[in-house]
Structures are given as C-alpha cells and as structure tokens.
Amino acid sequence: MDGRVEELQEKLRSHLNEAAENQKLEGLKAEGPHYSQIEDSAHATEKELSRMIQQSGAREVALDSAPQAGCPTCGDVREVCHPRWSINSIDGPVETLKPKAHCPCCRPCSTTAG
Ligand SMILES: [Zn+2]
C-alpha cells in the first residue's frame, strides 16, 4: 500500500507542477499582471484541488461502507444506498456521495438532506 501512496503522491506532485507552469504561462500572456492576480489564480487552483480531494475522499469512504446497516430511526437492517450529497465546504461546494440506510418509511433514500 505504501508504494501506491507514494505513486499517487508523485503523480499529484507532477500534476501540481504542470498546473503551476500553466499558471505561469497564463500570467505571462497578460500584460503586466498585478501580483494579486497571480495570487488570486493560485488560490483558486488551491480551492479547486481541495474540493477535488474532498470529493474523492468522501466518495471513497461512502463506497467503502458496509453493504447493510441499521436504519438510524427505527433500527431495521437495510441495504445501504449512496445518494448524491452536496456539502458547502470552506473551499466551496463539493458534490459527492453519502451512505444512507434509512428505510423508506423513515426517510426515502433519495432524500439528500442530513
Ligand atoms: Zn426506519
């Protein structure tokens, strides 16, 4: 597993370097960009990367959940479903999945709130 993590970290570093180079090229195209424009662009990229990592991590946790679980309201054992879930993170909206085991009587699976 360590090898896989290192491989992914190296891939991420490579993509971040590529993104940084692209940012530099974009900055050079503009005539005399103010430093704040470069900084804003870097922060926008940082937030986008953060949302991508959050989306991927939350999705992985959701899909790694047990296939069955007790309904949080009545306790009946149900198949776990994974409705889409919108999160307002500090870096902006993140669309991902959330494991839910509410039975249809207590709360339909398509309900994404909570
Ligand atoms: Zn229930």
CSV table of all heavy atoms in Angstrom, one decimal, residues 71-76 78 101-107, ligand 1:
chain,number,residue,atom,x,y,z
A,71,CYS,N,-31.3,1.1,10.2
A,71,CYS,CA,-31.9,2.4,9.9
A,71,CYS,C,-31.7,3.3,11.2
A,71,CYS,O,-32.0,2.8,12.3
A,71,CYS,CB,-33.4,2.3,9.7
A,71,CYS,SG,-34.3,3.8,9.7
A,72,PRO,N,-31.1,4.5,11.1
A,72,PRO,CA,-30.9,5.3,12.3
A,72,PRO,C,-32.1,5.6,13.1
A,72,PRO,O,-32.1,6.0,14.3
A,72,PRO,CB,-30.2,6.5,11.7
A,72,PRO,CG,-29.8,6.2,10.4
A,72,PRO,CD,-30.7,5.1,9.9
A,73,THR,N,-33.3,5.6,12.4
A,73,THR,CA,-34.5,5.9,13.1
A,73,THR,C,-35.2,4.8,13.8
A,73,THR,O,-35.5,4.8,15.0
A,73,THR,CB,-35.5,6.6,12.1
A,73,THR,OG1,-34.8,7.7,11.5
A,73,THR,CG2,-36.8,7.1,12.8
A,74,CYS,N,-35.4,3.6,13.0
A,74,CYS,CA,-36.2,2.5,13.6
A,74,CYS,C,-35.3,1.3,13.9
A,74,CYS,O,-35.7,0.4,14.6
A,74,CYS,CB,-37.3,2.1,12.7
A,74,CYS,SG,-36.8,1.4,11.1
A,75,GLY,N,-34.1,1.3,13.4
A,75,GLY,CA,-33.2,0.2,13.7
A,75,GLY,C,-33.3,-1.0,12.7
A,75,GLY,O,-32.5,-1.9,12.8
A,76,ASP,N,-34.3,-1.1,11.8
A,76,ASP,CA,-34.3,-2.2,10.8
A,76,ASP,C,-33.1,-2.2,10.0
A,76,ASP,O,-32.6,-1.2,9.5
A,76,ASP,CB,-35.6,-2.0,9.9
A,76,ASP,CG,-36.9,-2.4,10.6
A,76,ASP,OD1,-36.8,-2.9,11.7
A,76,ASP,OD2,-37.9,-2.2,9.9
A,78,ARG,N,-31.1,-2.4,6.7
A,78,ARG,CA,-31.4,-2.1,5.4
A,78,ARG,C,-30.2,-2.1,4.5
A,78,ARG,O,-29.1,-2.1,5.0
A,78,ARG,CB,-32.0,-0.6,5.3
A,78,ARG,CG,-33.0,-0.3,6.3
A,78,ARG,CD,-34.3,-1.0,6.1
A,78,ARG,NE,-34.8,-0.9,4.8
A,78,ARG,CZ,-35.9,-1.4,4.3
A,78,ARG,NH1,-36.6,-2.2,5.2
A,78,ARG,NH2,-36.3,-1.3,3.1
A,101,ALA,N,-28.9,4.5,5.3
A,101,ALA,CA,-29.6,3.2,5.5
A,101,ALA,C,-31.0,3.5,6.0
A,101,ALA,O,-31.6,2.5,6.5
A,101,ALA,CB,-28.8,2.4,6.4
A,102,HIS,N,-31.5,4.7,5.9
A,102,HIS,CA,-32.9,4.9,6.4
A,102,HIS,C,-33.8,4.0,5.6
A,102,HIS,O,-33.7,3.9,4.3
A,102,HIS,CB,-33.3,6.3,6.2
A,102,HIS,CG,-32.8,7.3,7.2
A,102,HIS,ND1,-31.6,8.0,7.1
A,102,HIS,CD2,-33.3,7.5,8.5
A,102,HIS,CE1,-31.4,8.7,8.2
A,102,HIS,NE2,-32.4,8.4,9.0
A,103,CYS,N,-34.8,3.4,6.2
A,103,CYS,CA,-35.8,2.6,5.5
A,103,CYS,C,-36.8,3.6,4.8
A,103,CYS,O,-36.9,4.8,5.3
A,103,CYS,CB,-36.5,1.6,6.4
A,103,CYS,SG,-37.4,2.4,7.7
A,104,PRO,N,-37.5,3.2,3.8
A,104,PRO,CA,-38.4,4.1,3.0
A,104,PRO,C,-39.5,4.8,3.9
A,104,PRO,O,-39.9,5.9,3.7
A,104,PRO,CB,-39.0,3.3,2.0
A,104,PRO,CG,-38.1,2.1,1.8
A,104,PRO,CD,-37.5,1.9,3.2
A,105,CYS,N,-39.9,4.0,5.0
A,105,CYS,CA,-40.9,4.6,5.9
A,105,CYS,C,-40.4,5.8,6.7
A,105,CYS,O,-41.0,6.8,6.9
A,105,CYS,CB,-41.4,3.5,6.9
A,105,CYS,SG,-42.2,2.1,6.0
A,106,CYS,N,-39.1,5.7,7.1
A,106,CYS,CA,-38.5,6.7,7.9
A,106,CYS,C,-38.0,7.9,7.1
A,106,CYS,O,-38.1,9.0,7.5
A,106,CYS,CB,-37.4,6.1,8.8
A,106,CYS,SG,-37.9,4.9,10.0
A,107,ARG,N,-37.3,7.6,6.0
A,107,ARG,CA,-36.8,8.6,5.1
A,107,ARG,C,-36.4,8.0,3.8
A,107,ARG,O,-35.6,7.1,3.7
A,107,ARG,CB,-35.6,9.3,5.7
A,107,ARG,CG,-35.2,10.5,4.9
A,107,ARG,CD,-33.9,11.2,5.5
A,107,ARG,NE,-34.1,11.5,6.9
A,107,ARG,CZ,-33.0,12.0,7.6
A,107,ARG,NH1,-31.9,12.2,7.0
A,107,ARG,NH2,-33.2,12.3,8.8
B,1,ZN,ZN,-36.6,3.1,9.6
